[in-house]
Amino acid sequence: SRGCRRTALEFSKILLSLQPTQDHFGALFLIEFYSIRSKQYEWLVKFIREFYVDFHEEEGTLLTLPNTMFMLALAKVMLA
């Protein structure tokens, strides 16, 4: 069961790498969900810090989404 979640996370990473600035497939939301489900908390915190800030600094909309902030907070709680 854990392997399927990890595989889904890796597949979402591949989808996002196709067009990271546009994300037509909604892979960002899948990455957040599957990283929590596969217990990749450290990776999710690092991903949000690097990807969201680097690619969407001028827009600033993705970091204000409730699901992104919730997943970031959840990952930090699980790491503590």
Side-chain angles (χ1 to χ4, degrees):
S1 176
R2 188 180 306 162
C4 292
R5 294 176 184 136
R6 181 65 189 260
T7 303
L9 174 62
E10 297 301 325
F11 186 72
S12 299
K13 290 178 188 178
I14 291 171
L15 282 177
L16 184 63
S17 70
L18 296 176
Q19 291 182 334
T21 57
Q22 296 175 350
D23 189 29
H24 294 292
F25 303 109
L28 289 173
F29 302 113
L30 296 173
I31 284 176
E32 293 171 354
F33 175 75
Y34 284 120
S35 62
I36 294 292
R37 296 293 292 175
S38 62
K39 300 180 181 179
Q40 299 294 315
Y41 309 121
E42 291 179 20
W43 182 86
L44 179 62
V45 171
K46 182 180 174 187
F47 173 75
I48 289 176
R49 283 184 186 155
E50 292 177 5
F51 181 80
Y52 283 108
V53 173
D54 289 347
F55 279 102
H56 303 286
E57 188 175 68
E58 65 278 355
E59 295 174 13
T61 56
L62 289 174
L63 279 176
T64 59
L65 290 175
N67 62 322
T68 302
M69 297 312 292
F70 177 75
M71 292 294 186
L72 179 61
L74 183 61
K76 287 183 178 182
V77 165
M78 297 304 283
L79 284 173

